[in-house]
mmCIF file of all heavy atoms in Angstrom:
data_model
loop_
_atom_site.group_PDB
_atom_site.id
_atom_site.type_symbol
_atom_site.label_atom_id
_atom_site.label_comp_id
_atom_site.label_asym_id
_atom_site.label_seq_id
_atom_site.Cartn_x
_atom_site.Cartn_y
_atom_site.Cartn_z
ATOM 1 N N PHE A 60 8.713 43.780 -99.060
ATOM 2 C CA PHE A 60 8.198 45.017 -98.493
ATOM 3 C C PHE A 60 7.950 45.998 -99.630
ATOM 4 O O PHE A 60 8.582 45.946 -100.678
ATOM 5 C CB PHE A 60 9.207 45.609 -97.497
ATOM 6 C CG PHE A 60 9.142 44.972 -96.138
ATOM 7 C CD1 PHE A 60 9.786 43.771 -95.893
ATOM 8 C CD2 PHE A 60 8.414 45.563 -95.117
ATOM 9 C CE1 PHE A 60 9.719 43.160 -94.648
ATOM 10 C CE2 PHE A 60 8.344 44.974 -93.866
ATOM 11 C CZ PHE A 60 9.001 43.768 -93.638
ATOM 12 N N PRO A 61 6.990 46.921 -99.421
ATOM 13 C CA PRO A 61 6.710 47.895 -100.486
ATOM 14 C C PRO A 61 7.889 48.825 -100.732
ATOM 15 O O PRO A 61 8.805 48.932 -99.918
ATOM 16 C CB PRO A 61 5.494 48.667 -99.936
ATOM 17 C CG PRO A 61 5.506 48.431 -98.478
ATOM 18 C CD PRO A 61 6.093 47.079 -98.260
ATOM 19 N N GLY A 62 7.819 49.517 -101.855
ATOM 20 C CA GLY A 62 8.902 50.401 -102.268
ATOM 21 C C GLY A 62 9.131 51.580 -101.328
ATOM 22 O O GLY A 62 10.151 52.271 -101.451
ATOM 23 N N ARG A 63 8.198 51.787 -100.384
ATOM 24 C CA ARG A 63 8.397 52.871 -99.410
ATOM 25 C C ARG A 63 9.616 52.592 -98.519
ATOM 26 O O ARG A 63 10.146 53.499 -97.885
ATOM 27 C CB ARG A 63 7.156 53.018 -98.518
ATOM 28 C CG ARG A 63 5.875 53.337 -99.243
ATOM 29 C CD ARG A 63 4.725 53.574 -98.263
ATOM 30 N NE ARG A 63 4.390 52.400 -97.472
ATOM 31 C CZ ARG A 63 4.691 52.252 -96.194
ATOM 32 N NH1 ARG A 63 5.359 53.197 -95.536
ATOM 33 N NH2 ARG A 63 4.310 51.154 -95.530
ATOM 34 N N PHE A 64 9.996 51.347 -98.475
ATOM 35 C CA PHE A 64 11.157 50.943 -97.666
ATOM 36 C C PHE A 64 12.374 50.898 -98.579
ATOM 37 O O PHE A 64 12.386 50.176 -99.582
ATOM 38 C CB PHE A 64 10.932 49.577 -97.029
ATOM 39 C CG PHE A 64 9.872 49.563 -95.968
ATOM 40 C CD1 PHE A 64 8.532 49.496 -96.311
ATOM 41 C CD2 PHE A 64 10.219 49.614 -94.633
ATOM 42 C CE1 PHE A 64 7.549 49.491 -95.329
ATOM 43 C CE2 PHE A 64 9.255 49.596 -93.636
ATOM 44 C CZ PHE A 64 7.915 49.545 -93.989
ATOM 45 N N SER A 65 13.373 51.647 -98.240
ATOM 46 C CA SER A 65 14.586 51.659 -99.049
ATOM 47 C C SER A 65 15.796 51.757 -98.131
ATOM 48 O O SER A 65 15.673 52.037 -96.938
ATOM 49 C CB SER A 65 14.576 52.824 -100.029
ATOM 50 O OG SER A 65 14.567 54.054 -99.311
ATOM 51 N N GLY A 66 16.945 51.517 -98.705
ATOM 52 C CA GLY A 66 18.154 51.602 -97.898
ATOM 53 C C GLY A 66 19.347 51.928 -98.757
ATOM 54 O O GLY A 66 19.248 52.044 -99.984
ATOM 55 N N ARG A 67 20.461 52.097 -98.093
ATOM 56 C CA ARG A 67 21.709 52.271 -98.805
ATOM 57 C C ARG A 67 22.858 51.946 -97.875
ATOM 58 O O ARG A 67 22.690 51.915 -96.648
ATOM 59 C CB ARG A 67 21.841 53.687 -99.350
ATOM 60 C CG ARG A 67 21.799 54.792 -98.299
ATOM 61 C CD ARG A 67 21.987 56.152 -98.979
ATOM 62 N NE ARG A 67 21.837 57.252 -98.034
ATOM 63 C CZ ARG A 67 22.172 58.496 -98.329
ATOM 64 N NH1 ARG A 67 22.668 58.803 -99.514
ATOM 65 N NH2 ARG A 67 22.016 59.455 -97.441
ATOM 66 N N GLN A 68 23.997 51.725 -98.473
ATOM 67 C CA GLN A 68 25.198 51.448 -97.692
ATOM 68 C C GLN A 68 26.318 52.343 -98.203
ATOM 69 O O GLN A 68 26.466 52.522 -99.421
ATOM 70 C CB GLN A 68 25.610 49.980 -97.799
ATOM 71 C CG GLN A 68 26.779 49.610 -96.882
ATOM 72 C CD GLN A 68 27.177 48.153 -97.006
ATOM 73 O OE1 GLN A 68 27.112 47.575 -98.085
ATOM 74 N NE2 GLN A 68 27.600 47.563 -95.895
ATOM 75 N N PHE A 69 27.079 52.857 -97.290
ATOM 76 C CA PHE A 69 28.160 53.769 -97.637
ATOM 77 C C PHE A 69 29.491 53.018 -97.735
ATOM 78 O O PHE A 69 29.588 51.850 -97.365
ATOM 79 C CB PHE A 69 28.235 54.888 -96.592
ATOM 80 C CG PHE A 69 26.953 55.667 -96.463
ATOM 81 C CD1 PHE A 69 26.015 55.344 -95.495
ATOM 82 C CD2 PHE A 69 26.669 56.713 -97.339
ATOM 83 C CE1 PHE A 69 24.823 56.049 -95.380
ATOM 84 C CE2 PHE A 69 25.484 57.424 -97.235
ATOM 85 C CZ PHE A 69 24.558 57.095 -96.259
ATOM 86 N N SER A 70 30.505 53.726 -98.220
ATOM 87 C CA SER A 70 31.802 53.082 -98.442
ATOM 88 C C SER A 70 32.436 52.586 -97.137
ATOM 89 O O SER A 70 33.268 51.685 -97.145
ATOM 90 C CB SER A 70 32.754 54.031 -99.162
ATOM 91 O OG SER A 70 32.921 55.214 -98.400
ATOM 92 N N ASN A 71 32.041 53.154 -95.999
ATOM 93 C CA ASN A 71 32.580 52.683 -94.712
ATOM 94 C C ASN A 71 31.703 51.586 -94.105
ATOM 95 O O ASN A 71 31.859 51.251 -92.942
ATOM 96 C CB ASN A 71 32.708 53.849 -93.737
ATOM 97 C CG ASN A 71 31.369 54.498 -93.421
ATOM 98 O OD1 ASN A 71 30.335 54.113 -93.971
ATOM 99 N ND2 ASN A 71 31.383 55.488 -92.542
ATOM 100 N N SER A 72 30.782 51.044 -94.906
ATOM 101 C CA SER A 72 29.864 49.966 -94.553
ATOM 102 C C SER A 72 28.685 50.400 -93.684
ATOM 103 O O SER A 72 27.786 49.593 -93.454
ATOM 104 C CB SER A 72 30.579 48.791 -93.868
ATOM 105 O OG SER A 72 31.470 48.180 -94.759
ATOM 106 N N ARG A 73 28.681 51.617 -93.221
ATOM 107 C CA ARG A 73 27.509 52.097 -92.486
ATOM 108 C C ARG A 73 26.296 52.066 -93.413
ATOM 109 O O ARG A 73 26.425 52.233 -94.632
ATOM 110 C CB ARG A 73 27.750 53.513 -91.980
ATOM 111 C CG ARG A 73 26.686 54.014 -91.007
ATOM 112 C CD ARG A 73 27.028 55.399 -90.488
ATOM 113 N NE ARG A 73 26.892 56.438 -91.515
ATOM 114 C CZ ARG A 73 25.743 57.057 -91.800
ATOM 115 N NH1 ARG A 73 24.639 56.739 -91.147
ATOM 116 N NH2 ARG A 73 25.722 57.989 -92.739
ATOM 117 N N SER A 74 25.146 51.828 -92.811
ATOM 118 C CA SER A 74 23.945 51.710 -93.634
ATOM 119 C C SER A 74 22.823 52.565 -93.058
ATOM 120 O O SER A 74 22.781 52.833 -91.853
ATOM 121 C CB SER A 74 23.498 50.246 -93.693
ATOM 122 O OG SER A 74 22.297 50.094 -94.428
ATOM 123 N N GLU A 75 21.963 52.989 -93.920
ATOM 124 C CA GLU A 75 20.751 53.691 -93.525
ATOM 125 C C GLU A 75 19.561 53.028 -94.190
ATOM 126 O O GLU A 75 19.679 52.511 -95.308
ATOM 127 C CB GLU A 75 20.808 55.168 -93.957
ATOM 128 C CG GLU A 75 21.778 56.021 -93.197
ATOM 129 C CD GLU A 75 21.775 57.473 -93.666
ATOM 130 O OE1 GLU A 75 21.186 57.751 -94.743
ATOM 131 O OE2 GLU A 75 22.350 58.314 -92.971
ATOM 132 N N MET A 76 18.441 53.045 -93.490
ATOM 133 C CA MET A 76 17.210 52.658 -94.156
ATOM 134 C C MET A 76 16.206 53.800 -94.013
ATOM 135 O O MET A 76 16.215 54.540 -93.040
ATOM 136 C CB MET A 76 16.631 51.346 -93.621
ATOM 137 C CG MET A 76 16.082 51.373 -92.225
ATOM 138 S SD MET A 76 15.001 49.945 -91.914
ATOM 139 C CE MET A 76 13.485 50.481 -92.692
ATOM 140 N N ASN A 77 15.398 53.946 -95.029
ATOM 141 C CA ASN A 77 14.438 55.032 -95.092
ATOM 142 C C ASN A 77 13.048 54.461 -95.310
ATOM 143 O O ASN A 77 12.868 53.511 -96.095
ATOM 144 C CB ASN A 77 14.815 55.974 -96.245
ATOM 145 C CG ASN A 77 13.903 57.178 -96.310
ATOM 146 O OD1 ASN A 77 12.835 57.115 -96.889
ATOM 147 N ND2 ASN A 77 14.327 58.259 -95.700
ATOM 148 N N VAL A 78 12.103 55.011 -94.596
ATOM 149 C CA VAL A 78 10.708 54.640 -94.830
ATOM 150 C C VAL A 78 9.961 55.928 -95.136
ATOM 151 O O VAL A 78 9.976 56.875 -94.335
ATOM 152 C CB VAL A 78 10.065 53.945 -93.622
ATOM 153 C CG1 VAL A 78 8.675 53.433 -93.995
ATOM 154 C CG2 VAL A 78 10.936 52.815 -93.109
ATOM 155 N N SER A 79 9.347 55.987 -96.300
ATOM 156 C CA SER A 79 8.606 57.183 -96.688
ATOM 157 C C SER A 79 7.114 56.965 -96.461
ATOM 158 O O SER A 79 6.641 55.831 -96.337
ATOM 159 C CB SER A 79 8.868 57.516 -98.155
ATOM 160 O OG SER A 79 8.413 56.452 -98.968
ATOM 161 N N THR A 80 6.388 58.041 -96.408
ATOM 162 C CA THR A 80 4.937 58.003 -96.246
ATOM 163 C C THR A 80 4.534 56.983 -95.183
ATOM 164 O O THR A 80 3.856 55.980 -95.448
ATOM 165 C CB THR A 80 4.238 57.657 -97.583
ATOM 166 O OG1 THR A 80 4.860 58.347 -98.663
ATOM 167 C CG2 THR A 80 2.792 58.090 -97.536
ATOM 168 N N LEU A 81 4.952 57.240 -93.983
ATOM 169 C CA LEU A 81 4.749 56.298 -92.887
ATOM 170 C C LEU A 81 3.282 55.960 -92.664
ATOM 171 O O LEU A 81 2.390 56.821 -92.752
ATOM 172 C CB LEU A 81 5.344 56.862 -91.594
ATOM 173 C CG LEU A 81 6.866 56.797 -91.486
ATOM 174 C CD1 LEU A 81 7.350 57.696 -90.362
ATOM 175 C CD2 LEU A 81 7.317 55.368 -91.273
ATOM 176 N N GLU A 82 3.052 54.684 -92.355
ATOM 177 C CA GLU A 82 1.731 54.183 -92.009
ATOM 178 C C GLU A 82 1.763 53.656 -90.576
ATOM 179 O O GLU A 82 2.829 53.318 -90.067
ATOM 180 C CB GLU A 82 1.314 53.073 -92.975
ATOM 181 C CG GLU A 82 1.276 53.501 -94.422
ATOM 182 C CD GLU A 82 0.952 52.358 -95.362
ATOM 183 O OE1 GLU A 82 0.781 51.215 -94.882
ATOM 184 O OE2 GLU A 82 0.864 52.609 -96.592
ATOM 185 N N LEU A 83 0.582 53.573 -89.968
ATOM 186 C CA LEU A 83 0.525 53.082 -88.591
ATOM 187 C C LEU A 83 1.162 51.689 -88.476
ATOM 188 O O LEU A 83 1.822 51.370 -87.488
ATOM 189 C CB LEU A 83 -0.922 53.031 -88.102
ATOM 190 C CG LEU A 83 -1.646 54.369 -87.976
ATOM 191 C CD1 LEU A 83 -3.088 54.154 -87.511
ATOM 192 C CD2 LEU A 83 -0.908 55.307 -87.030
#
Side-chain angles (χ1 to χ4, degrees):
Chain A
F60 279 82
R63 300 185 296 106
F64 292 81
S65 63
R67 59 178 175 168
Q68 186 180 35
F69 302 95
S70 58
N71 62 357
S72 295
R73 190 177 70 86
S74 177
E75 289 181 347
M76 69 163 280
N77 184 276
V78 187
S79 62
T80 319
L81 284 165
E82 301 176 359
L83 295 179

